[in-house]
């Protein structure tokens, strides 16, 4: 991806994050007038349920593509998943930029090595707790 495209993507995510932030009750978001404000007002169970639903829809759309379905449906469902995930990020005080930074941190790291290191760290933490 070119630097210009990367900046465009990050800009779009930042703009969407700003809109989501503006829908928080503390910023005047009205659950009667805004879907985002309504989800945030209902609390984590509401938007986490939506994330689960959207993730399932991504899987279903992708499986459909394997059998001749429209790839555009995958894009549509991933957009919904990202959108609802961004609501969760906002609720927990996180930003898309932090997700991008985490992905950059992982860049060049083997997924298998990263997973093995994470498991080793978890084991060490559990052993430390057990010794106390």
């Amino acid at each position: 991806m070119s630097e210009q495209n990367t900046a465009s993507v990050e800009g779009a995510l930042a703009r969407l994050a700003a809109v989501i932030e503006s829908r928080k009750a503390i910023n005047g978001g009205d659950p009667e007038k805004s879907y985002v404000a309504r989800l945030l007002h209902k609390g984590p169970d509401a938007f986490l349920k939506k994330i689960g639903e959207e993730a399932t829809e991504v899987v279903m759309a992708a499986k459909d593509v394997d059998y001749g379905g429209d790839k555009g449906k995958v894009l549509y469902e991933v957009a919904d998943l990202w959108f609802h995930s961004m609501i969760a990020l906002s609720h927990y005080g996180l930003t898309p930029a932090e997700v991008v930074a985490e992905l950059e941190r992982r860049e060049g790291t083997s997924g298998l090595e990263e997973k093995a290191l994470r498991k080793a760290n978890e084991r060490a933490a559990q052993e430390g707790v057990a010794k106390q």
Side-chain angles (χ1 to χ4, degrees):
M1 185 180 289
S2 73
E3 285 186 37
Q4 184 177 15
N5 287 343
T6 300
S8 176
V9 168
E10 290 176 2
L13 292 174
R15 288 189 303 277
L16 178 55
V19 169
I20 291 169
E21 281 294 314
S22 76
R23 301 301 196 263
K24 287 182 170 180
I26 195 168
N27 297 324
D30 182 353
E32 298 296 319
K33 297 179 182 177
S34 164
Y35 173 72
V36 171
R38 187 175 315 133
L39 281 177
L40 289 168
H41 177 74
K42 288 180 178 180
D45 285 350
F47 57 78
L48 295 174
K49 179 180 176 185
K50 286 300 296 180
I51 291 170
E53 290 171 7
E54 298 303 340
T56 299
E57 290 174 7
V58 168
V59 170
M60 291 168 48
K63 294 300 283 181
D64 286 347
V65 170
D66 290 340
Y67 295 95
D70 179 12
K71 285 194 256 184
K73 183 78 170 158
V74 175
L75 289 175
Y76 181 88
E77 297 302 345
V78 169
D80 282 351
L81 177 59
W82 285 18
F83 173 76
H84 289 91
S85 295
M86 288 179 65
I87 293 171
L89 288 173
S90 176
H91 175 80
Y92 294 112
L94 301 166
T95 67
E98 290 172 287
V99 175
V100 170
E102 175 61 17
L103 291 171
E104 289 173 339
R105 183 190 69 77
R106 297 178 187 186
E107 189 174 357
T109 302
S110 160
L112 296 174
E113 290 172 8
E114 194 273 335
K115 185 175 181 179
L117 179 60
R118 189 172 60 240
K119 284 186 176 188
N121 288 339
E122 289 170 4
R123 275 193 305 273
Q126 287 174 351
E127 290 171 4
V129 170
K131 290 179 183 179
Q132 292 178 359

